[in-house]
């Protein structure tokens, strides 16, 4: 049993989609969420720069005595997960677009991968394509501007609907029947995608990543005692009030209690 918190980070609000799943599955785990909004977006930045940020963020999380780090960001995982594992003495759980489940469930064997440039250009993703993509038509879609829409709290607006339409219409008209949300920000656009493309299946790996984190805690004897309170601490590198406002808009109002001022 280990009462120390779990660290989670992303460039902004995206990783909250993983945090939400983690809180549902293990409400007694204490969490420290680091939103690196001063460096948002990670997607278009060179991998070396994202790696540098990932190291800085993990150093800060370790100063909060975290027992495990969830890299709740596909872009940061692509740029840094192997190096982080080598450099730090805590276990890491990273993310990669859910191509494997999508391929397994796509009737047309035609899937659209919505992820940032950094993720799509990364070695981690190419390995997943090599391992699981054979025999499947894969449309890699960088979705420019989508993460920004979410970060500004604009999910569910006409602008969000138009942006997902623009990004996905060519692939869907060409027969893609499954969309993989390969960026944690995009999880918050799922209702807009569903509204625009009702026949298309959506693959979001947020819950699977949360389950994996719990499995790693269990394997290492790091689970929190079940009577723990499970508070949430927030660290925001940019504008904290703005971040809290977006959190509220995304439905995280109750999670704000107990956050570090
Ligand atoms: N949420 C991040 C991801 O999962 C990307 C957003 C950004 O570009 O910063 O890839």
């Amino acid at each position: 049993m280990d009462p120390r918190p779990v660290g989670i980070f992303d460039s902004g609000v995206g990783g909250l989609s993983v945090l939400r799943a983690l809180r549902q599955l293990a409400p007694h785990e204490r969490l420290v969420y680091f939103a690196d909004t001063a460096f948002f977006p990670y997607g278009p930045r060179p991998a070396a720069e994202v790696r540098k940020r990932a190291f800085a963020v993990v150093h800060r999380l370790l100063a909060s005595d975290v027992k495990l780090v969830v890299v709740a960001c596909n872009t940061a995982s692509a740029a840094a997960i192997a190096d982080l594992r080598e450099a730090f003495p805590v276990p890491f759980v990273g993310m990669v677009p859910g191509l494997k489940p999508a391929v397994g469930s796509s009737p047309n064997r035609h899937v659209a991968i919505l992820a940032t440039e950094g993720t799509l250009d990364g070695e981690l993703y190419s390995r997943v394509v090599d391992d699981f993509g054979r025999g499947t038509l894969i449309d890699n879609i960088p979705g420019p501007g989508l993460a920004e829409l979410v970060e500004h709290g604009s999910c569910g607006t006409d602008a969000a609907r138009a942006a997902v339409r623009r990004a996905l219409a060519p692939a869907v008209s060409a027969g893609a029947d499954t969309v993989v949300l390969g960026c944690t920000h995009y999880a918050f656009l799922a209702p807009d995608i569903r509204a625009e493309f009702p026949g298309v299946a959506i693959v979001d790996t947020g819950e699977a990543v949360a389950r994996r984190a719990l499995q790693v805690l269990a394997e290492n004897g790091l689970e929190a005692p079940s009577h723990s309170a499970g508070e949430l601490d927030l660290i925001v590198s940019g504008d904290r009030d703005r971040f809290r406002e977006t959190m509220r808009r995304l439905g995280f109002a109750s999670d704000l209690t107990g956050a570090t001022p």
Side-chain angles (χ1 to χ4, degrees), residues 10-11 40-43 73-75 116 119 147 183-185:
D10 180 41
S11 58
F40 174 86
Y42 281 175
C73 173
N74 292 262
T75 314
T116 68
T119 298
C183 165
T184 48
H185 278 74

Side-chain angles (χ1 to χ4, degrees), residues 10-15 17 40 146-147 150-151 183-189:
D10 180 41
S11 58
V13 293
S17 55
F40 174 86
L146 290 182
V150 175
E151 196 61 34
C183 165
T184 48
H185 278 74
Y186 302 165
F188 295 108
L189 289 170

Side-chain angles (χ1 to χ4, degrees), residues 7-23:
I8 307 179
F9 81 92
D10 180 41
S11 58
V13 293
L16 293 172
S17 55
V18 178
L19 176 140
R20 184 171 53 190
L22 205 46
R23 284 177 81 78

Side-chain angles (χ1 to χ4, degrees), residues 8 40 45 61 85 89 91 115 125 132 148-149 156 163 179 190 195 197 211 222 247:
I8 307 179
F40 174 86
R45 293 182 192 275
L61 286 172
R85 285 193 172 120
Y125 176 61
F132 305 108
E148 284 84 348
L149 273 168
V179 173
F197 303 101
R211 284 189 193 283
L222 295 173
M247 265 186 99

Side-chain angles (χ1 to χ4, degrees), residues 7-190:
I8 307 179
F9 81 92
D10 180 41
S11 58
V13 293
L16 293 172
S17 55
V18 178
L19 176 140
R20 184 171 53 190
L22 205 46
R23 284 177 81 78
Q24 267 159 13
L25 293 166
H28 52 284
E29 289 291 345
R30 267 173 68 203
L31 306 176
V32 180
Y33 187 87
F34 192 122
D36 196 16
T37 55
F39 292 86
F40 174 86
Y42 281 175
R45 293 182 192 275
E49 207 178 305
V50 176
R51 196 174 306 124
K52 211 166 147 194
R53 282 313 303 159
F55 270 71
V57 169
V58 170
H59 272 296
R60 175 60 190 87
L61 286 172
L62 287 175
S64 288
D65 201 23
V66 299
K67 58 187 172 184
L68 169 134
V69 176
V70 180
V71 184
C73 173
N74 292 262
T75 314
S77 299
I81 192 78
D83 296 338
L84 291 172
R85 285 193 172 120
E86 222 168 274
F88 295 102
V90 292
F92 284 85
V93 173
M95 301 190 74
V96 69
L99 180 67
K100 186 181 172 191
V103 164
S105 62
S106 162
N108 300 343
R109 297 281 270 184
H110 185 173
V111 305
I113 312 291
L114 205 51
T116 68
E117 293 157 62
T119 298
L120 295 173
D121 291 345
E123 213 179 281
L124 204 58
Y125 176 61
S126 359
R127 244 183 287 141
V128 172
V129 172
D130 288 346
D131 289 347
F132 305 108
R134 213 153 298 142
T136 300
L137 187 54
I138 301 168
D139 287 317
N140 293 319
I141 304 170
L146 290 182
E148 284 84 348
L149 273 168
V150 175
E151 196 61 34
H152 299 139
S154 304
C155 306
T157 61
D158 288 348
R161 290 279 292 268
V164 300
R165 195 181 318 132
R166 248 191 331 269
L168 291 171
V172 174
S173 339
D177 53 37
T178 305
V179 173
V180 174
L181 305 178
C183 165
T184 48
H185 278 74
Y186 302 165
F188 295 108
L189 289 170

Side-chain angles (χ1 to χ4, degrees), residues 154-244:
S154 304
C155 306
T157 61
D158 288 348
R161 290 279 292 268
V164 300
R165 195 181 318 132
R166 248 191 331 269
L168 291 171
V172 174
S173 339
D177 53 37
T178 305
V179 173
V180 174
L181 305 178
C183 165
T184 48
H185 278 74
Y186 302 165
F188 295 108
L189 289 170
D192 295 302
I193 297 173
R194 230 170 266 127
E196 280 298 316
F197 303 101
V200 161
I202 296 176
V203 173
D204 173 13
T205 52
E207 191 185 320
V209 170
R211 284 189 193 283
R212 175 72 193 135
L214 296 179
Q215 191 186 357
V216 174
L217 287 179
E219 284 166 5
N220 290 280
L222 295 173
E223 292 160 298
S226 53
H227 60 264
S228 305
E231 300 111 8
L232 166 66
D233 268 350
L234 284 177
I235 305 168
V236 183
S237 60
D239 185 333
R240 191 181 168 83
D241 289 340
R242 191 168 149 186
F243 184 79
R244 286 166 67 100

